[in-house]
Amino acid sequence: MSAVVSRIREPLIEGNKSYHDITEDLISPTEKTPSLAWVIGLILSLSFLTFGVFCIAWTIWFGIGAWDLNRTIGWGWDITNFVWWIGIGHAGTLISAILLLFRQKWRTGVNRAAEAMTIFAVLCAALFPGIHVGRAWVVFYFFPYPNTRGPLWVNFNSPLLWDLFAISTYFTVSLLFWYTGLVPDFATVRDRASGVRKKIYNFLSFGWTGSAKHWQRWESLSLVLAGLATPLVLSVHTIVSFDFATSVIPGWHTTIFPPYFVAGAIFSGFAMVLTLMIITRKILNLQEYITITHIESMNKVILLTGTIVGVAYLTELFIAWYSGYVYEQFAFYNRVFGPYYWSYIGMMSCNVLAPQIFWSKKLRRSIFWTFFMSIFINIGMWFERFVIIATTLARDYLPSSWSWYDPTWVEIGIYLGTMGIFFTLYLVFTRVAPVVAVAEVKSILKSSGDQYIGPNAHAHHHDHAPVAAKMDFAAASMVDDTAAKMAAAAPVLAAAASEVSAPVASVQDDLKKVEGIGPKIEQLLKAAGVNTFAQLADAKVPFLKSVLEEAGKRFQMHDPTTWPDQARMAAEGKWEELKKWQDELDGGKL
Amino acid sequence: MSANKEVLFGLYDDEVVMMDAVKKAKEDHLDIMDVYTPFPVHGLDPILGLSESRLHIAGFVFGALGTLTAFLFMTWVFTRDWPVIFGGKPYWSVPAFIPITFELTVLFASIGMVVTFYTICGLGPGVTSPCLDERITDDKFCVAFNTDGYSESQIDNLKRFFSNTGASEVHTKVI
């Protein structure tokens, strides 16, 4: 039995879907004629893109003098936009890699689109270093290659070069990860298509068959890529922050930059994922796959990372004062009270204060507030980079060289152009590939479909157990449902639970094989909805304790600590290992 | 490609039923050619007797290759080929080599593993695999037997197996 039903989790797939419904819902947007909204969106994005290309051509033709940068302020909108886009490109790999390692099932609803977003954002970011060097035609000087100048190599000790390696690696690995995830879904598209379309998707799907061995390797590959991408995603923005932190500019030369930048990147990335997903789910009718629960989970990440960023801002201020170093103190005084004070206010209010509204569950689950806040954060994080870059440079060591900087229309045009690139690619992506990972959503259906868990879990059984259904609903909507709270509802829920699992599992395992569980306790567990080894393996120890405690004094002395682990072995068929372990255990206790 | 195979396969509507069937087939010592599913079914591998994938070993080897390539190359450049002093640091400034060494380790491991994956699975751009049934990538779970050289009674036996284990459809196809 692979289906594991947890009553503590809320459903992630709504609408009582079958596997075929999932295929139908997620693939069909790529098969229909584009909607009017899509066409208008594409035309808008393409016009921004065209204007951006024009501005880039202008820059290359006339040189970066067109940007009004000066010898004091050498980095302006270009690097601000670069860091902003790179930051946005962090959520995708975080969702697909780190959440995969943490076995967070809600990632399946959003990972595909978030990874696509990552790739497009990194592309937009990579544009800026390419053009801000001025002579874009010799941009290959970035790379170490045997040349006629000695050969004279690039400086491998420079953070700017590390950045080049970090971003190219990040882009490549994200692309491989994303495409490997897409291959089985392209096969699904292929098998529904005909004619030229079938040929194209046959090419894209690499001849995928769905063989058990291929799936096994595919999962192994995903897991290792996730393991590799996790430190990678942390390294990328760390290295971006080194661009600043290893310099000797007051306000940049701080050791807090790496964690501060990484938290900020995740923060802004999630904001952009939310902006896009809220629009996408509405237009493509994916509300049953990208549910309020998904949005709430992402808002929790936003609240956490936003607060980390806030702590970093305050730490910076404190350390600047505490250091006693007058240039550092002035740099921060200048950020808060200097001529660019408005950008500091924008940063503080959008990034630190505003997300605090997500302490309220109601606002966390509100589409309107989430969308509003995601835009706010995108703006705030842009200001953060502007504060760090332009504000700091504007007032450096020598008052005689202080300067002022405003962007020109060319710079604004390039920024809008990258927006155009990003949205054009995203819109094309929504037409070519399923925006939600089809195979991965299918694989969590039985553990997260709303016919199996949550308030609608037993739609077919309403006549039999109306009370149970209500209780289960109450449990599902608890604010921070801990297992301890669940305990209170346990006896009544027991009835509900057996209903819940009915459609999933007619199979029942002999739980007595787990040392420490006798026939009585087995009955109790089965009444509480734990029917199989897999379910027991997934059960939390406090939940098991609560089941025992509810059952009366006789059972309270039992210690279920090892039960889930024993059950895991049983579920995986590792009987010999289990036997060996049980020999070491004393009545099922450690 | 190899000669055509005659394949008898059953389609199941649910992975749990399919897994029970595979278990039964193993008990009866039936020689399953392959199982095809629309998504990775957990718990199937041990029943089917698939050994654990060794793909991660390839990942390690390629990763180690990346580490060595990056580190040795930078060492060679700055100590042998063209030594330059940057900021008064030693030529061989190991801490500064760490970021690039790390990035190339990840890059080599990822590319190497992905290429290995597609190679050993026989997948890649332009590959067209024979398709048993188009619903296998949708919602059907397929257990397939290669029936080349099977006698009438053996095939009947397999068909009986499918009907006993709850297959919703049974088909024959030459691929």
Side-chain angles (χ1 to χ4, degrees):
Chain A
M1 252 309 293
S2 61
V4 176
V5 178
S6 160
R7 285 186 286 116
I8 300 171
R9 300 268 173 214
E10 287 177 62
L12 296 170
I13 306 163
E14 291 171 356
N16 194 14
K17 301 291 181 193
S18 69
Y19 293 134
H20 181 68
D21 294 337
I22 295 177
T23 313
E24 200 62 46
D25 292 349
L26 299 182
I27 306 280
S28 63
T30 68
E31 294 167 339
K32 291 184 200 142
T33 327
S35 65
L36 188 64
W38 186 87
V39 175
I40 294 173
L42 188 72
I43 291 173
L44 263 176
S45 310
L46 278 174
S47 16
F48 278 111
L49 186 149
T50 315
F51 185 56
V53 170
F54 171 73
C55 291
I56 291 171
W58 185 282
T59 303
I60 293 173
W61 187 258
F62 291 104
I64 52 167
W67 291 354
D68 267 8
L69 293 171
N70 49 55
R71 67 146 292 290
T72 303
I73 306 177
W75 281 356
W77 273 45
D78 51 351
I79 301 300
T80 303
N81 296 336
F82 161 71
V83 181
W84 188 72
W85 277 119
I86 282 285
I88 286 172
H90 271 59
T93 311
L94 185 99
I95 289 176
S96 41
I98 299 184
L99 299 185
L100 175 73
L101 296 183
F102 284 140
R103 301 270 181 234
Q104 291 292 310
K105 288 183 176 139
W106 61 269
R107 60 175 266 288
T108 56
V110 290
N111 65 345
R112 170 70 44 76
E115 285 170 43
M117 197 198 79
T118 287
I119 292 163
F120 306 150
V122 173
L123 269 179
C124 292
L127 184 74
F128 287 100
I131 54 173
H132 102 291
V133 293
R135 296 176 192 170
W137 52 94
V138 288
V139 86
F140 57 89
Y141 283 6
F142 281 179
F143 296 91
Y145 65 98
N147 53 61
T148 52
R149 302 184 295 272
L152 191 59
W153 299 99
V154 285
N155 181 3
F156 293 108
N157 299 331
S158 161
L160 294 175
L161 189 77
W162 303 345
D163 218 1
L164 176 82
F165 277 88
I167 288 164
S168 355
T169 303
Y170 185 55
F171 179 76
T172 315
V173 174
S174 302
L175 191 67
L176 292 174
F177 200 2
W178 181 63
Y179 199 84
T180 304
L182 265 170
V183 162
D185 289 356
F186 278 148
T188 309
V189 183
R190 170 198 70 197
D191 289 346
R192 289 162 56 89
S194 57
V196 182
R197 195 178 151 81
K198 195 180 189 83
K199 285 214 173 77
I200 294 172
Y201 280 99
N202 185 39
F203 183 82
L204 291 174
S205 66
F206 287 6
W208 180 263
T209 57
S211 155
K213 187 69 194 175
H214 291 182
W215 275 122
Q216 186 205 33
R217 289 178 183 143
W218 183 87
E219 286 215 293
S220 165
L221 177 69
S222 306
L223 197 64
V224 180
L225 282 183
L228 288 168
T230 300
L232 179 66
V233 72
L234 300 180
S235 85
V236 173
H237 229 57
T238 300
I239 291 177
V240 170
S241 83
F242 286 167
D243 292 346
F244 301 92
T246 58
S247 72
V248 285
I249 307 290
W252 287 5
H253 189 59
T254 56
T255 45
I256 199 177
F257 261 24
Y260 158 12
F261 269 50
V262 170
I266 295 165
F267 181 57
S268 66
F270 270 75
M272 190 57 110
V273 172
L274 281 171
T275 312
L276 286 181
M277 292 325 283
I278 287 173
I279 301 172
T280 312
R281 75 196 277 274
K282 178 88 184 137
I283 290 182
L284 298 183
N285 269 324
L286 297 174
Q287 286 94 335
E288 289 160 334
Y289 299 94
I290 302 163
T291 63
I292 298 287
T293 308
H294 288 89
I295 290 173
E296 191 189 7
S297 301
M298 287 194 272
N299 281 333
K300 285 180 183 166
V301 177
I302 286 203
L303 177 61
L304 173 72
T305 48
T307 309
I308 294 176
V309 166
V311 170
Y313 294 164
L314 298 179
T315 310
E316 260 189 340
L317 286 181
F318 172 77
I319 294 294
W321 166 77
Y322 187 68
S323 70
Y325 179 55
V326 62
Y327 293 106
E328 189 78 11
Q329 286 172 343
F330 176 76
F332 283 90
Y333 177 85
N334 178 52
R335 279 186 192 175
V336 188
F337 301 109
Y340 289 104
Y341 73 93
W342 41 267
S343 59
Y344 195 83
I345 292 175
M347 167 183 110
M348 272 292 186
S349 51
C350 293
N351 294 348
V352 185
L353 299 179
Q356 303 303 323
I357 67 161
F358 285 143
W359 288 103
S360 149
K361 187 182 174 83
K362 211 175 137 210
L363 297 180
R364 251 184 351 242
R365 294 179 73 91
S366 148
I367 301 282
F368 171 78
W369 281 103
T370 306
F371 187 72
F372 182 70
M373 198 49 63
S374 72
I375 301 287
F376 232 62
I377 293 167
N378 286 326
I379 297 171
M381 285 308 289
W382 191 89
F383 273 127
E384 180 199 294
R385 279 61 180 252
F386 185 77
V387 165
I388 292 174
I389 294 168
T391 307
T392 309
L393 289 175
R395 296 270 183 277
D396 64 357
Y397 296 98
L398 287 174
S400 58
S401 57
W402 285 2
S403 182
W404 177 261
Y405 157 77
D406 277 324
T408 61
W409 64 270
V410 184
E411 285 178 284
I412 297 171
I414 295 174
Y415 179 53
L416 295 178
T418 52
M419 294 271 195
I421 298 174
F422 182 77
F423 284 106
T424 305
L425 288 170
Y426 187 78
L427 285 168
V428 171
F429 156 72
T430 60
R431 295 287 315 161
V432 172
V435 246
V436 175
V438 182
E440 288 181 61
V441 166
K442 282 178 192 164
S443 74
I444 65 159
L445 177 66
K446 290 204 171 168
S447 55
S448 304
D450 70 344
Q451 67 268 50
Y452 302 115
I453 59 167
N456 303 323
H458 21 246
H460 341 282
H461 303 270
H462 262 300
D463 323 346
H464 312 295
V467 184
K470 254 192 193 150
M471 280 308 295
D472 207 40
F473 177 72
S477 53
M478 271 181 199
V479 182
D480 284 302
D481 28 15
T482 57
K485 279 187 189 156
M486 293 297 299
V492 191
L493 274 174
S498 57
E499 296 286 342
V500 176
S501 46
V504 196
S506 50
V507 192
Q508 300 216 345
D509 285 332
D510 181 8
L511 299 179
K512 294 188 291 291
K513 294 242 166 71
V514 171
E515 194 168 301
I517 297 182
K520 282 276 179 202
I521 295 180
E522 184 185 27
Q523 273 178 16
L524 283 176
L525 289 176
K526 291 202 169 163
V530 182
N531 286 310
T532 65
F533 289 130
Q535 285 169 340
L536 181 55
D538 244 38
K540 298 271 182 292
V541 174
F543 170 73
L544 295 174
K545 276 200 178 127
S546 71
V547 170
L548 294 173
E549 272 164 27
E550 279 302 318
K553 277 218 164 88
R554 268 186 325 133
F555 297 101
Q556 287 173 3
M557 55 191 239
H558 294 281
D559 178 8
T561 315
T562 67
W563 297 356
D565 294 331
Q566 291 193 50
R568 172 92 51 211
M569 291 184 181
E572 289 169 0
K574 298 178 180 161
W575 294 109
E576 286 187 4
E577 263 177 68
L578 179 61
K579 181 99 194 26
K580 222 170 118 195
W581 193 34
Q582 285 180 342
D583 289 343
E584 290 165 18
L585 292 173
D586 170 25
K589 293 177 197 170
L590 286 167
Chain B
M1 289 299 284
S2 54
N4 288 350
K5 288 184 282 199
E6 196 179 88
V7 177
L8 177 73
F9 62 95
L11 298 177
Y12 295 83
D13 294 334
D14 192 285
E15 75 272 24
V16 179
V17 183
M18 180 272 292
M19 271 159 67
D20 286 340
V22 174
K23 237 181 254 175
K24 178 88 176 22
K26 286 286 165 187
E27 280 163 18
D28 297 354
H29 302 290
L30 300 175
D31 186 17
I32 295 178
M33 179 183 94
D34 209 341
V35 173
Y36 302 93
T37 58
F39 58 86
V41 176
H42 289 171
L44 177 63
D45 303 353
I47 303 175
L48 203 53
L50 293 181
S51 53
E52 207 185 314
S53 167
R54 287 167 298 161
L55 198 59
H56 52 269
I57 300 176
F60 177 80
V61 172
F62 283 107
L65 192 68
T67 313
L68 289 177
T69 308
F71 194 78
L72 295 181
F73 179 71
M74 286 187 285
T75 302
W76 173 74
V77 163
F78 280 164
T79 60
R80 310 256 165 237
D81 193 50
W82 196 285
V84 182
I85 294 178
F86 294 103
K89 304 289 192 302
Y91 292 132
W92 196 53
S93 39
V94 175
F97 295 169
I98 291 173
I100 291 181
T101 307
F102 168 75
E103 300 299 334
L104 284 195
T105 305
V106 171
L107 186 68
F108 275 52
S110 308
I111 295 180
M113 264 185 84
V114 169
V115 171
T116 312
F117 167 73
Y118 287 118
T119 313
I120 55 178
C121 289
L123 303 173
V127 173
T128 304
S129 305
C131 175
L132 286 179
D133 192 291
E134 284 168 349
R135 290 163 301 164
I136 290 170
T137 54
D138 177 7
D139 63 345
K140 298 288 180 200
F141 301 83
C142 166
V143 178
F145 294 94
N146 181 353
T147 53
D148 279 345
Y150 273 35
S151 68
E152 223 28 49
S153 70
Q154 276 174 309
I155 289 178
D156 282 346
N157 187 27
L158 287 179
K159 285 186 176 159
R160 246 194 325 279
F161 158 79
F162 280 129
S163 69
N164 289 341
T165 51
S168 59
E169 294 168 36
V170 181
H171 301 282
T172 318
K173 196 163 179 176
V174 178
I175 56 171

